[in-house]
Amino acid sequence: MGTIEVTVSEIGAAGARDARIRLVAADGAPLPAFDAGAHIDVVLPHGLMRQYSLVNGPSDRDAYEICVRRAADSRGASTWIHDTLRVGQALGISAPRCAFALDEAARYVLIAGGIGVTPLISMARALSAQGKPFDFHFYGRSEDDVPYLDVLREGFASGRVFIHLGAQGQRLRDALPDALAVPDADALVYVCGPGGFMDHLKAQSIAAGWQPSQIRSEAFAASAHTGPTDADGTFEVELKSSGKIFIVPADRTIAAVLGDAQIEMSLSCEQGICGSCLTGVVSGRVDHRDEVQSVEEKDAHSHIAICCSRALSPRIVLDL
């Protein structure tokens, strides 16, 4: 899929460490449609590419809005955006992709930690437009740590907003939100934030009686186990279209091996968090290491994130 040329139309503050950025199509046309929870790839100078969730609601196609937190351990992207990006600057982006979509439910519980609030604001806007009920819980250290504090305080037409601040003793580790105290078979829970935050919420919710299939999450960073390790073994990858077989050694990914062979494939984050490289599995079992697929999807072994996941079987046949 080709790159969409956009222009930075607005830059503002969404929090003490967060920059709110509006992007419009260079030709002035409406941008491609998207679902709440979607993200885009943003192509930055020097070959950097990063994924950012869309904050605006799906009905707003005049611009895409993203939010970028200045990261202390930045590999260059957030620092460049905060210090160098200016209104009027041209950028390239991908079309939106959504691996964190809203499924049908009677009601919703949205729970965000830190910058994980961004896709959930888009969801809240979409749900309000449809008149669907939801509770929105945000967890942060202090008011300065709340991106889009003004939006959350303003609230949403069909949802209730609760802001929990650690500085005031309101931490997730002390108690689950009231909305999760009693399991509701007709509800879905969407959570986004740091890995430890999401792991704790999922574990406590399941212990309270919620089904794992009711809890949906999206990661902003890869888990520590996504890359090849010394304990990984060698396996074979066969391509369905040609029958060609490739050896994937312990220290390389499927994507790296296929890339060396000039095999056409889709890649973006290369960390298992965006879903761009999910590839169909014809046969074989997968050692899943992505943060995109649900437990049920992983159990089906029907798709593999070739940027990070590996094979549990001696050979895996891909739909390539």
Side-chain angles (χ1 to χ4, degrees), residues 13 31 44 46 61 85 97 119 122 125 136 138 147 161 164 169 180 195 201 218 221 239 242 284 288-289 302 314:
L31 288 161
L44 303 173
H46 314 301
R61 292 175 53 199
L85 188 66
R97 297 193 303 277
S122 181
R125 287 169 165 162
F136 194 145
F138 175 87
V161 177
H164 309 270
L180 297 181
L201 187 137
E218 181 176 58
L239 306 188
S242 64
H288 292 289
R289 303 185 181 186
S302 60

Side-chain angles (χ1 to χ4, degrees), residues 115-138:
I115 195 63
V117 74
T118 51
L120 299 188
I121 287 178
S122 181
M123 289 182 178
R125 287 169 165 162
L127 291 172
S128 281
Q130 300 171 44
K132 294 186 176 180
F134 63 92
D135 285 349
F136 194 145
H137 292 263
F138 175 87

Side-chain angles (χ1 to χ4, degrees), residues 122-196:
S122 181
M123 289 182 178
R125 287 169 165 162
L127 291 172
S128 281
Q130 300 171 44
K132 294 186 176 180
F134 63 92
D135 285 349
F136 194 145
H137 292 263
F138 175 87
Y139 288 84
R141 288 190 298 273
S142 63
E143 287 193 355
D144 287 344
D145 191 48
V146 185
Y148 292 95
L149 179 61
D150 57 337
V151 173
L152 296 177
R153 280 182 168 164
E154 181 180 349
F156 304 92
S158 65
R160 302 183 301 173
V161 177
F162 305 86
I163 299 174
H164 309 270
L165 302 178
Q168 298 177 10
Q170 303 164 344
R171 298 174 301 178
L172 178 64
R173 291 195 175 275
D174 294 331
L176 279 174
D178 290 342
L180 297 181
V182 179
D184 181 350
D186 296 323
L188 289 176
V189 180
Y190 285 80
V191 55
C192 190

Side-chain angles (χ1 to χ4, degrees), residues 17 32 54 92 111 115 172 191 205 244 246 260 272-273 281 309:
R17 295 182 290 154
L54 297 179
I111 305 177
I115 195 63
L172 178 64
V191 55
S205 298
K244 291 183 178 178
F246 300 88
D260 288 348
I273 62 174
V281 175
S309 296

Side-chain angles (χ1 to χ4, degrees), residues 233-259:
T234 297
F235 60 94
E236 297 178 345
V237 167
E238 179 181 339
L239 306 188
K240 177 185 175 183
S241 61
S242 64
K244 291 183 178 178
I245 297 173
F246 300 88
I247 305 298
V248 181
D251 61 348
R252 306 205 69 201
T253 65
I254 297 172
V257 171
L258 297 184

Side-chain angles (χ1 to χ4, degrees), residues 76-132:
S78 74
T79 298
W80 186 87
I81 287 172
H82 277 261
D83 295 344
T84 307
L85 188 66
R86 296 291 181 268
V87 171
Q89 195 154 353
L91 293 173
I93 65 171
S94 71
R97 297 193 303 277
C98 193
F100 192 44
L102 281 169
D103 289 329
E104 191 64 32
R107 75 176 186 92
Y108 300 82
V109 183
L110 312 180
I111 305 177
I115 195 63
V117 74
T118 51
L120 299 188
I121 287 178
S122 181
M123 289 182 178
R125 287 169 165 162
L127 291 172
S128 281
Q130 300 171 44
K132 294 186 176 180

Side-chain angles (χ1 to χ4, degrees), residues 10-31:
E10 184 181 342
I11 301 176
R17 295 182 290 154
D18 309 300
R20 177 180 56 82
I21 300 157
R22 296 273 292 182
L23 306 170
V24 298
D27 60 6
L31 288 161

